[in-house]
């Protein structure tokens, strides 16, 4: 069984932090902790299981989230477990109760069977494959480092591997994903969020453009001022819906920590932090690593060095400066990248046998290997 992705919901930050440390193991990891008024953020992560702290009103909160997370069991973490509490939990739809003070291995003996049982139930009641798409956000705190080029090419590489892939251009003012794919969208995310009623999979897909590579593209607004109409809540909702329909959702972001970018980051399974090997870019990247740490998102970070070329700064220097290992290295090939950009075709499609395309494909493979 793959490593479980858990979220914790409760209003006591200290108890959430304690439980997060208890549940961090080789078999499980906590992808997010939220207060009870942040249910939508928890739903957007599409976890394998939701752990509730035994706060007042917890059972009504659990009822609100159950319909949004089909196939995801809910469990209760309490200071003390008794028969009455277990009875109330089971009546509210929870699949297990455990004491926060218990050992990690004992808690997992409750969580893992609950997850397996819920997945089996979903498979027996639906002819569709259980889907929990992996969200990969591509970010840099500095523009011009090749962030969008990486996002477009790994999305294309994943599609060529047979994965169901969507790319969301969350650079809402100046997104270039459509340009790089030679697409002129009639509708964008700006038109999608103006739809009346609740969004669903069919609605989101209808606003996506299908690229010839097989990726579904939800483009950024045509005009920068339209970004003001798109909120963090919209981004969370769209990502949560996309998770149910695609194997991978690649998100391109602006070089800034605004509300919508933070929403994408919190909903992500992996964050590719793109950096170069010059001092200015690395200084910026180090600041970003610190910010992600303060947001409790550092464990999702993967460092990608783009446009690598001979330099007095070595890979070891970069790893020491960022205090993180390098996840992938893309060598500099400005001529190939610029030629494909001007043609509106990803390198992976236009020149699949080039060294640059192979490096993008290797990065895509590495992402699938991590999720296996």
């Amino acid at each position: 069984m793959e490593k479980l992705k858990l979220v914790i919901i409760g209003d006591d930050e200290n108890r959430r932090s304690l439980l997060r440390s208890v549940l961090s193991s080789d078999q499980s990891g906590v992808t997010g902790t939220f207060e009870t008024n942040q249910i939508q953020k928890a739903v957007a992560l599409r976890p394998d299981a939701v752990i509730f702290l035994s706060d007042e009103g917890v059972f009504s909160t659990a009822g609100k989230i159950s319909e949004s997370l089909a196939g995801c069991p809910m469990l209760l973490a309490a200071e003390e477990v008794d028969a009455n509490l277990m009875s109330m939990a089971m009546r509210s739809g929870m699949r297990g109760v455990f004491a926060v003070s218990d050992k990690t291995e004992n808690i997992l003996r409750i969580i893992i069977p609950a997850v397996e049982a819920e997945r089996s139930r979903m498979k027996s009641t639906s002819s569709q494959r259980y889907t929990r798409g992996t969200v990969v956000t591509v970010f840099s705190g500095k523009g011009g480092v090749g962030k969008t080029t990486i996002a477009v090419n790994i999305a294309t590489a994943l599609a060529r591997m047979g994965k169901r892939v969507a790319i969301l251009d969350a650079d809402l003012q100046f997104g270039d994903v459509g340009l790089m794919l030679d697409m002129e969208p009639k509708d964008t995310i700006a038109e999608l969020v103006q739809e009346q009623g609740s969004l669903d999979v069919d609605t989101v897909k209808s606003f996506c453009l299908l690229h010839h590579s097989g990726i579904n593209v939800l483009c950024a607004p045509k005009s920068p001022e339209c970004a003001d109409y798109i909120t963090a809540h919209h981004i969370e909702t769209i990502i949560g819906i996309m998770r149910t329909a695609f194997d991978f959702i690649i998100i391109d972001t602006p070089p800034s920590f605004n509300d919508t970018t933070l929403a994408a980051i919190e909903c992500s399974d992996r964050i590719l932090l793109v950096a170069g090997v010059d001092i200015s870019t690395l200084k910026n990247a180090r600041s970003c690593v610190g910010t992600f740490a303060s947001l409790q998102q550092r464990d999702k970070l993967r460092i990608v060095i783009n446009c690598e070329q001979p330099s007095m700064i070595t890979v070891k220097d970069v790893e020491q400066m960022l205090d993180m290992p390098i996840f992938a290295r893309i060598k500099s090939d400005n001529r190939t990248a610029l030629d494909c950009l001007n043609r509106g075709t990803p390198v992976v499609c236009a020149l699949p046998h080039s060294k640059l395309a192979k490096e993008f494909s290797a990065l895509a493979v590495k992402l699938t290997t991590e999720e296996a």
Side-chain angles (χ1 to χ4, degrees):
M1 190 177 193
E2 73 273 17
K3 188 172 181 177
L4 294 179
K5 297 175 182 178
L6 312 174
V7 299
I8 300 170
I9 296 178
D11 290 330
D12 188 324
E13 184 177 356
N14 291 330
R15 290 167 66 205
R16 293 200 310 265
S17 297
L18 174 62
L19 187 55
R20 182 180 193 134
S21 63
V22 171
L23 292 174
S24 297
S25 70
D26 292 338
Q27 294 176 283
S28 64
V30 177
T31 60
T33 67
F34 305 97
E35 297 177 0
T36 52
N37 62 356
Q38 297 176 309
I39 289 179
Q40 193 60 50
K41 291 185 177 181
V43 170
L45 283 175
R46 304 300 297 181
D48 293 310
V50 177
I51 314 298
F52 287 93
L53 296 175
S54 55
D55 299 321
E56 183 179 351
V58 63
F59 300 122
S60 62
T61 303
K64 294 176 184 177
I65 201 174
S66 60
E67 293 183 2
S68 301
L69 285 175
C72 174
M74 299 178 297
L75 301 100
L76 183 68
E79 299 297 325
E80 295 182 6
V81 178
D82 56 37
N84 183 53
L85 182 65
M86 291 187 69
S87 176
M88 292 173 63
M90 297 309 169
R91 285 201 302 269
S92 70
M94 292 188 177
R95 301 298 181 185
V97 181
F98 59 85
V100 178
S101 58
D102 207 345
K103 294 181 179 180
T104 303
E105 55 266 30
N106 293 337
I107 295 174
L108 289 178
R109 289 194 188 103
I110 297 173
I111 296 176
I112 291 174
V115 172
E116 291 176 338
E118 196 65 19
R119 288 183 179 177
S120 296
R121 185 183 69 81
M122 290 296 291
K123 288 179 180 178
S124 65
T125 58
S126 173
S127 60
Q128 295 184 346
R129 183 174 61 149
Y130 173 80
T131 300
R132 184 201 178 278
T134 299
V135 178
V136 180
T137 289
V138 186
F139 181 84
S140 174
K142 187 174 183 179
V145 296
K147 171 176 52 64
T148 303
T149 299
I150 289 176
V152 166
N153 278 280
I154 61 173
T156 309
L158 288 165
R160 289 169 67 90
M161 292 163 55
K163 304 294 184 181
R164 296 174 297 170
V165 183
I167 183 165
L168 168 59
D169 193 344
D171 188 347
L172 301 175
Q173 289 189 309
F174 303 106
D176 284 334
V177 169
L179 177 68
M180 286 196 170
L181 294 171
D182 193 25
M183 289 178 156
E184 294 186 9
K186 177 183 177 183
D187 293 318
T188 70
I189 187 174
E191 286 73 33
L192 171 61
V193 301
Q194 295 177 50
E195 280 289 285
Q196 300 296 317
S198 300
L199 296 181
D200 57 23
V201 171
D202 291 335
T203 303
V204 172
K205 281 186 173 182
S206 71
F207 280 81
C208 292
L209 289 177
L210 182 61
H211 188 254
H212 62 75
S213 65
I215 60 177
N216 284 262
V217 184
L218 185 54
C219 292
K222 299 173 188 176
S223 301
E225 63 270 18
C226 293
D228 294 338
Y229 301 107
I230 302 162
T231 66
H233 176 72
H234 287 137
I235 296 296
E236 292 164 4
T237 301
I238 291 168
I239 293 172
I241 291 170
M242 282 184 160
R243 276 190 188 273
T244 67
F246 300 99
D247 299 314
F248 280 87
I249 300 94
I250 310 299
I251 305 177
D252 190 30
T253 57
S256 61
F257 287 102
N258 57 38
D259 288 347
T260 52
T261 299
L262 290 174
I265 286 169
E266 290 185 351
C267 292
S268 298
D269 299 290
R270 294 288 180 270
I271 304 163
L272 301 184
L273 180 59
V274 183
V277 288
D278 61 281
I279 286 294
S280 175
T281 306
L282 287 173
K283 177 178 177 292
N284 185 283
R286 184 167 63 178
S287 296
C288 289
V289 171
T291 301
F292 282 115
S294 68
L295 293 170
Q296 295 188 320
Q297 303 292 318
R298 182 186 165 105
D299 59 330
K300 300 177 183 178
L301 271 186
R302 302 294 182 269
I303 305 298
V304 177
I305 299 298
N306 193 34
C307 299
E308 184 183 2
Q309 52 191 332
S311 169
M312 62 182 294
I313 302 173
T314 66
V315 170
K316 187 176 180 180
D317 293 332
V318 174
E319 292 181 330
Q320 288 179 341
M321 183 177 290
L322 301 182
D323 192 27
M324 291 190 72
I326 302 301
F327 184 69
R329 298 157 62 186
I330 309 294
K331 298 295 176 59
S332 179
D333 190 348
N334 290 332
R335 183 174 179 178
T336 298
L338 185 59
D339 180 53
C340 290
L341 170 61
N342 291 334
R343 291 164 59 182
T345 307
V347 178
V348 172
C349 290
L351 300 167
H353 301 296
S354 66
K355 187 173 182 181
L356 188 58
K358 290 178 180 178
E359 289 175 344
F360 286 133
S361 297
L363 173 53
V365 169
K366 201 165 185 180
L367 288 171
T368 64
T369 302
E370 273 211 327
E371 294 305 310

